[in-house]
Structure formats: structure tokens, C-alpha cells
Amino acid sequence: MNQQPVVSVRNLAIAYETARGLVPAVRDVSFDIHRGETLGLVGESGCGKSTVAYGLVNYLGRNGRITGGSILFQGRPLVGQSEEALRKLRGNQISMVYQDPMTSLNPVLRIGDQMTEVLTVHQKMRKDEARARCVEMLRRVYMPDPDKVMERYPHQISGGQQQRVVIAMALLNNPALLIMDEPTTALDVTVEAAVLDLIADLRRDFDTAILFISHNLGVIARVSDRVGVMYAGELVELAPVQEIFANPRHPYTQGLMRCVPRLGSSKLDSVLYPIPGRVPPPHRLPPGCAFEPRCSYAREACRAERPALRPLRGTAVPHMTRCLFSEEIDPKQWRPPDDFALPQPANDGVTGETILSVEGLKTHYRPASASLLGAFGLGRRDVVRAVDGVSFSLPKGKTLGIVGESGCGKSTLIKTIIGLEDMTDGKAEFIGFDLRRRAGQRELALIRELQMVFQNPDATMNPSYSVGQQIERPLRRFKVVPKDRVRDEVIRLLRAVKLDEHYYDRLPRQLSGGEKQRVGIARAFAARPDLVLCDEPVSALDVSVQAAVLNLLLEIQREHGTTMIFIAHDLSVVRFFCDYIAVMYLGQIVEIGPAEAIYAPPYHPYTESLLAAVPIPDPGATPTHIRLQGNVPSPANPPSGCRFHTRCPRRGLLPDGGRICETDEPPWRDAGEAHRILCHIPLERLRTIESTGK
């Protein structure tokens, strides 16, 4: 680290011009990044992480500007540079990878045209030479069939492939600085693992300095050399990755660590402690320490004095913190606030009977374009087997988690159960109701007992109606309480989800993402249903809000004995929250059983691959290098025999090298205690696989 840093930021301040005046978004941020080094930035939404990234290339929009400090890139100042000079840097010496790859890809241009433009514009390279270099770079990011990908449009490749294209584009000019803003948030855990491996390889091979932004502590631990923790526009802690995870000294960093479920923990043996309150808006910051209103250690001095970022005394490595009492705080002595109620699992006394029974459920559909062509006798009549023969039963008061990659049929399964998709075949019975009818044809009593919490609350809330009006609707529709008590019941539900009565008259646009999700939960539970289906309800939330929502769901389940089906791509969250887990692949369940059994051998090779891909919030953990090759096959043309055989890393355990997997459907193997695995490999061989449950 003796050489000149690639980028050096000192006392950076960024503000936005608004109707109320100049609002500070970033204040007093300083850091260096050297060649071959990755600096991870972590913190809740609204803490200024992305604003810092955009500030490095002055890409702040019309009303944003740098109001103080300096940015040196390879020794040259960036603040005050002309737009033309910055344009030459962007995409050439400084590249950026965004969270959503479609924001970087033009939907009407082929991948090849977009990639070659990077080289023809910045390097003045001939088109044929540029194309050859692009194909080689796609191979470098492990893109299958790169020549064919060059001819496709963005919508014709998967999300993981889109992200690899964007990374390849960012590296074409061998940039000195690569900025990555939440590049894996929307990806499956298996694709995320491949992208993180790729980032590590690229840093080593290209000697690139990387600024990596994420709210996922597991990802940060995996890719970073040093970590900066941001809160309310400030860096509150900066240290090497091993040091910050082993010895977090700022109360905010410690709070983030307490919010994260570990892969081996469950609701029976661990507790998530969300940080109380929320990040203050930049125009209403406390006069002293910005974290003081949420801090368990706050003293009178914290309310009066704004601490500076300073080095800790007595540490063997450079460790900076913005806290007056960092040397005195011992994380092991922390105790939860007096008003924090420990969430308890549901009472076992209500879990005897089976509340939902599904047998051979199939949901097939034909794409609209194929249906139109088929009506005229043209084209192929492919049937998409989204769900193809799923069977399970769920006891009352328990939670079934469903995991698997995108395209495996998880969401289609619960949409079929709730009636948003037609059931093609099979049976599904819920407390005596036949679920084969669609939602519009079902009895009112059934609709009341079966509710859903969606992944995106914005898509299910009417922006023109207040929070109170939207929670009122199911109360009035199902006549849950008398009319004169509806408002009181809405306020009770708001308090149950940790919102007060002042939210009654607020509109959705006045709420944060976590608050909207809580309103969605309140509305789903307003009818006091017996079964609630949760489709990725915490995937888009910060770790603190996620912990609060999980605790909230546990509390409601305990009080009302509610049964749940819970979909999530974070296997640590599923392990913590769920009693039973079903692993889905290409429309079928390949493993099902109690949660503790799923996370230890014997497990299905697909389950093993999912577990091996989970990023662990521990930089000392050695990742298990099991990476699935290729993408999930098309459900319109699934492989013969075992559907997983085209990607299975364990076929070699069979005497014939796995040829039987290509021709014969695998049998169910009973591992005991309701744990079943759909696989040709005998349980004795599967038990010899080393645990990846970490």
C-alpha cells in the first residue's frame, strides 16, 4: 500500500438543491483505494453509499453537486473537471456496474453492437478487432456461447447473463477503477456466487481498484479487503475486513451484525435484534452524533458533540471510527432495550392437524405468442411446465420455506394455491376447501382465510388511497369487526406492525420501503387468515428492517397460530425462519423435510450447491467451491430423466458415471423424520458429502 492510490477522497461533501434549500447527502467522507484492492461500502438505504459512487464521476444529476473536499484519480483532481473530460474517463479509465443491468443495456440494440461501441469510441479500434476482443471478454466472464450472445438482444438472456455482459463491458478498456453498486442484489444465490468468484479473479488478473457497494454483509465479507460503514452520509467506521467483522467498534456496525441470521441458526436458538428507529433524513440530522437517537450507548456528550473519524488507540491494524467512546464499548456487554420483546416460535399446541394438502399439483401454460401461432397451425406448441407434479402437506401453525433459483416454479406454486394461476392438474385442499378454482370463482370464506404478502408492496398498494383506507378494505369486505370499530381495528393492526396511528392518513409515497412492507403485512393479516403466503417479503429490505419484519411475522404467528409458506432466495433467512423447507428445481420438489435436516448431509446435490453458494458474513470462512454450470433449462423443454442431471456436480458418485440420470426419473429416498430426497444416488453416498451448512 506504499504506492500512490488509484483514487483518493478527502473530506468529500455532496448536496442536492431542493425546494427547502441545499440538503447535504454526504459529509466529510475520506478514503483511498489502491490497485488490486477492493473497498466495500455497507450501510442501510439512505446512508449515502451510492451518492459517493456517483460523486466520484460527478454523475449526480442536475440538482446535485460536490460542495466540499477533493477527489484525486491517479493523482489528478476530478472536482471541477469539464463534462467532456469526465466523459472520456467514464467507461474508459473509470467504469461502473449498476444494480440493475438493464439500466446499462439498450433494449433495442444487440449485445455485440453495444459492447463493440465501447472500444470503437474510446480506443478507436476497428470493428472486427473490437468484436474479437468482446467475444474474448465474454469468455473471460464465463459466458456460455459468447458468439451467440453477441447476436442476441438483452431480453433474450437471463439476469445473471445480463450482469456478466455489463461487467465485461466495464472491463473492456482495462479500467483503473471499477465501481460496483449492488451488482448481485437481484441475482440468484448460485449466480451471485459465480459473479463474486468472477470479481475476485478480475481484481487479481487486471489489478483493478474496486469500490463495491452492498447492504449484504456476507457479500461484503467475501469480496472486500477493507470495509467502510456509512451512516447518515458519513463514514462511521473504516478498517480491514477481518478486523471489522471480528472487532466492530462503532455501535452502528455492531447493530448491523446483530441483524443478520447465520446460516446454521434458527428461530429456536437465536434472536435477531433490529436497530430501533430509522436513518434520519439529511435535512433533519441530530445536532451531535448522527446515530445518537438509535444508539444503546448514547450519553449526554453524544447529543452535544459531533464526533470526528479518528484512529482507534491500541489496535494492531489501522482502524478508524466516528464515536466518542469506541475504546470503552464492549459488544459482549450489550443488552437489548428494556422494551424489546423476544419473539417466540408458534405454540406447538396448535400444530397437530394438516391445514394444507397438495398432491400432484401441475401448472402448465402456453406463451401467448405460441398460442396465437398454434391457432393458425404455425410454430411450435411448447407447453411451459412451470409447476410439474408437486406434493406436500403443511401442519397448522408451522412455516414451509420454498427455495430454488429463478424459474424453478416457486412463485407460480403459491400463485396457483392462492388462485392467481389456473391449476392444470392435481389436488390442493385447504381446511376443507378445494383450491382448484381461480380467485374470482372462490367462496368469500376461502378468500378470507387465504392471504398473501407480495415481494413489492408498491405493486399492490393504490397510490391514491391512504394507509388506513387500504387496511380498512379487507375489514369491511370480510366483516371482521362491526363498522363502528373498523378504525380502531386498523390502528390496532398498525401498532401490531410497529407503526403508530399517525400512519393512518399517510399515502404510500410518504413511507419507506420497510414501512410499506409492514402495511402490506398488516393488510394481509387484517382478515385473521389461517394461511398466509409470503413471496420474497424481505428480499429488498435493509438488514435492520429485514430483522424487524421477520420478528414481526414470528410474533403474529405466535399470537394467532397462523400457518405460512415463505419464499426467499436468502437461505440464511429461510433456515432461521422456517420449520420445514422444500427445495424446488425446474417445477419439481427435489428435497423436502424439517429445516435442520435440509442443512446437513445427506442432501440433494442441488441443495448442496445452493448452500455452498451462500455468502457468509465471516471473512475467515472458506467458501465451498461448488458452482453450477449453465442456466436452469427451459421449463418448456425439461431434460429427460433427472431434470438436474445437466448441471449435477455429483453424478460421478454413481457406478455408471450418472448415465441412469439421463434416462430414468429418480426415486424418492426416505432419510427419516419426514426428510425425503429425489435422487438416484443412494443415501449412504450422499451422507459421505462434507457438510456445507457452515
Side-chain angles (χ1 to χ4, degrees):
M1 294 300 175
N2 294 325
Q3 76 272 26
Q4 182 188 58
V6 173
V7 61
S8 180
V9 178
R10 289 291 176 272
N11 309 115
L12 180 65
I14 299 173
Y16 287 90
E17 188 69 49
T18 68
R20 58 171 59 94
L22 206 59
V23 175
V26 169
R27 300 167 297 135
D28 191 25
V29 169
S30 300
F31 59 82
D32 295 335
I33 311 178
H34 293 76
R35 274 204 169 275
E37 181 189 27
T38 298
L39 173 67
L41 276 188
V42 68
E44 295 170 281
S45 297
C47 284
K49 306 185 300 295
S50 296
T51 304
V52 169
Y54 293 133
L56 293 183
V57 288
N58 199 21
Y59 199 59
L60 297 168
R62 292 183 178 179
N63 65 329
R65 65 174 184 264
I66 295 173
T67 56
S70 64
I71 303 172
L72 296 180
F73 175 68
Q74 296 182 328
R76 295 173 296 173
L78 290 184
V79 178
Q81 291 277 3
S82 67
E83 184 61 30
E84 180 62 26
L86 289 172
R87 189 179 295 114
K88 290 180 179 179
L89 283 175
R90 296 174 190 147
N92 189 5
Q93 297 182 59
I94 302 176
S95 293
M96 190 161 183
V97 177
Y98 298 89
Q99 178 176 351
D100 180 5
M102 285 303 289
T103 60
S104 304
L105 297 174
N106 190 324
V108 300
L109 292 179
R110 297 182 190 272
I111 298 296
D113 294 333
Q114 299 185 58
M115 292 189 68
T116 55
E117 184 182 33
V118 174
L119 295 170
T120 57
V121 170
H122 287 289
Q123 304 290 342
K124 309 302 180 186
M125 194 177 288
R126 294 198 323 270
K127 205 162 187 179
D128 57 340
E129 186 181 349
R131 181 179 178 83
R133 170 117 181 221
C134 291
V135 171
E136 179 57 34
M137 186 58 74
L138 286 177
R139 287 197 183 97
R140 185 65 191 78
V141 298
Y142 309 115
M143 179 70 76
D145 298 323
D147 290 289
K148 292 182 180 178
V149 169
M150 292 282 285
E151 300 301 323
R152 293 174 183 164
Y153 291 94
H155 71 272
Q156 294 176 312
I157 59 177
S158 69
Q161 289 176 328
Q162 290 172 1
Q163 194 64 285
R164 293 184 202 196
V165 167
V166 172
I167 293 173
M169 290 175 64
L171 291 165
L172 281 173
N173 290 315
N174 193 13
L177 175 64
L178 178 61
I179 302 171
M180 311 191 83
D181 188 5
E182 300 271 12
T184 63
T185 297
L187 303 181
D188 289 320
V189 65
T190 52
V191 180
E192 176 184 69
V195 170
L196 295 181
D197 288 343
L198 171 64
I199 292 169
D201 291 344
L202 296 175
R203 181 182 62 180
R204 181 186 65 245
D205 297 346
F206 289 84
D207 202 27
T208 302
I210 299 176
L211 176 64
F212 192 100
I213 297 169
S214 179
H215 67 264
N216 187 320
L217 291 174
V219 171
I220 288 291
R222 175 85 176 277
V223 303
S224 304
D225 297 297
R226 290 186 301 132
V227 178
V229 182
M230 288 200 67
Y231 183 78
E234 298 177 318
L235 267 178
V236 297
E237 191 159 8
L238 180 64
V241 62
Q242 292 86 357
E243 170 72 7
I244 212 161
F245 276 87
N247 187 31
R249 303 308 302 168
H250 195 280
Y252 179 60
T253 310
Q254 297 171 15
L256 291 177
M257 304 287 188
R258 288 190 288 265
C259 294
V260 181
R262 304 289 169 146
L263 188 58
S265 64
S266 75
K267 58 189 175 185
L268 299 176
D269 57 24
S270 62
V271 179
L272 302 181
Y273 296 101
I275 303 172
R278 56 189 293 187
V279 180
H283 62 283
R284 289 207 304 267
L285 294 172
C289 173
F291 189 61
E292 176 270 322
R294 306 174 71 188
C295 182
S296 303
Y297 307 102
R299 307 179 192 178
E300 191 61 37
C302 304
R303 300 177 181 90
E305 182 180 349
R306 178 174 174 263
L309 188 68
R310 60 182 179 83
L312 278 176
R313 296 185 295 270
T315 57
V317 295
H319 193 152
M320 310 283 286
T321 182
R322 193 183 295 273
C323 178
L324 298 174
F325 305 104
S326 287
E327 284 91 356
E328 303 174 27
I329 293 173
D330 182 0
K332 297 177 182 177
Q333 300 299 319
W334 180 87
R335 296 292 180 269
D338 294 336
D339 59 351
F340 179 80
L342 287 174
Q344 299 295 327
N347 184 359
D348 286 342
V350 298
T351 62
E353 60 182 304
T354 295
I355 193 172
L356 175 66
S357 178
V358 175
E359 184 178 343
L361 188 150
K362 296 182 180 180
T363 304
H364 298 173
Y365 58 90
R366 185 174 289 113
S369 58
S371 300
L372 182 62
L373 291 171
F376 292 96
L378 302 172
R380 297 174 59 185
R381 302 190 181 191
D382 289 337
V383 173
V384 177
R385 298 170 174 83
V387 179
D388 203 25
V390 165
S391 300
F392 65 88
S393 60
L394 182 58
K396 181 176 174 60
K398 294 294 186 180
T399 301
L400 171 68
I402 304 178
V403 299
E405 295 168 283
S406 297
C408 285
K410 308 183 300 296
S411 294
T412 302
L413 173 60
I414 66 170
K415 286 179 181 178
T416 303
I417 292 172
I418 205 169
L420 297 178
E421 297 284 356
D422 285 323
M423 189 184 303
T424 305
D425 196 7
K427 299 178 181 178
E429 186 176 298
F430 168 63
I431 56 173
F433 290 101
D434 188 343
L435 298 182
R436 282 179 287 192
R437 294 181 180 179
R438 289 202 70 169
Q441 303 168 336
R442 292 182 174 181
E443 301 93 329
L444 196 62
L446 171 57
I447 297 173
R448 172 178 175 170
E449 299 295 348
L450 193 59
Q451 294 292 311
M452 189 164 178
V453 179
F454 295 86
Q455 176 177 359
N456 183 4
D458 282 316
T460 57
M461 296 180 71
N462 190 321
S464 302
Y465 286 81
S466 70
V467 166
Q469 289 173 310
Q470 302 197 50
I471 300 177
E472 278 181 6
R473 179 168 173 77
L475 295 174
R476 297 183 186 278
R477 171 79 168 162
F478 302 121
K479 300 178 181 177
V480 178
V481 295
K483 291 182 179 179
D484 60 344
R485 291 176 50 198
V486 167
R487 183 181 176 88
D488 291 339
E489 179 66 10
V490 172
I491 293 173
R492 187 191 72 80
L493 287 165
L494 285 172
R495 288 173 176 162
V497 297
K498 306 299 187 286
L499 300 175
D500 57 45
E501 59 186 281
H502 299 297
Y503 284 82
Y504 191 100
D505 295 315
R506 293 188 185 180
L507 294 172
R509 68 172 183 269
Q510 297 173 305
L511 309 182
S512 69
E515 289 170 340
K516 291 175 187 175
Q517 195 62 283
R518 295 185 194 198
V519 171
I521 291 171
R523 186 174 59 182
F525 282 89
R528 302 173 188 174
D530 279 335
L531 177 62
V532 175
L533 311 177
C534 303
D535 188 6
E536 298 271 15
V538 297
S539 64
L541 304 180
D542 291 320
V543 290
S544 179
V545 179
Q546 173 183 277
V549 169
L550 291 176
N551 286 344
L552 170 63
L553 289 172
L554 284 175
E555 183 179 333
I556 294 174
Q557 185 179 48
R558 177 180 58 83
E559 290 182 359
H560 301 285
T562 309
T563 309
M564 298 186 199
I565 295 179
F566 188 91
I567 292 177
H569 69 264
D570 188 331
L571 275 74
S572 302
V573 169
V574 173
R575 173 67 180 95
F576 171 82
F577 187 74
C578 300
D579 303 292
Y580 302 94
I581 294 174
V583 182
M584 285 192 71
Y585 184 77
L586 208 58
Q588 295 181 334
I589 290 177
V590 298
E591 184 169 7
I592 188 168
E596 61 273 12
I598 298 292
Y599 285 76
Y603 28 46
H604 191 280
Y606 181 56
T607 308
E608 180 193 10
S609 302
L610 293 178
L611 292 173
V614 177
I616 306 300
D618 178 6
T622 303
T624 306
H625 287 286
I626 301 173
R627 299 293 180 258
L628 296 181
Q629 301 300 313
N631 301 303
V632 180
S634 169
N637 187 27
S640 59
C642 173
R643 297 189 176 185
F644 186 58
H645 83 262
T646 58
R647 305 171 72 201
C648 182
R650 297 294 183 183
R651 290 174 61 187
L653 293 177
L654 289 166
D656 64 352
R659 287 191 295 273
I660 189 175
C661 304
E662 302 174 14
T663 56
D664 296 1
E665 292 189 4
W668 278 106
R669 300 192 181 274
D670 189 348
E673 299 183 355
H675 180 199
R676 297 185 301 141
I677 300 173
L678 189 69
C679 189
H680 285 293
I681 303 173
L683 290 177
E684 292 72 24
R685 298 302 305 274
L686 293 177
R687 286 192 177 98
T688 64
I689 298 173
E690 184 179 351
S691 173
T692 58
K694 303 179 182 65

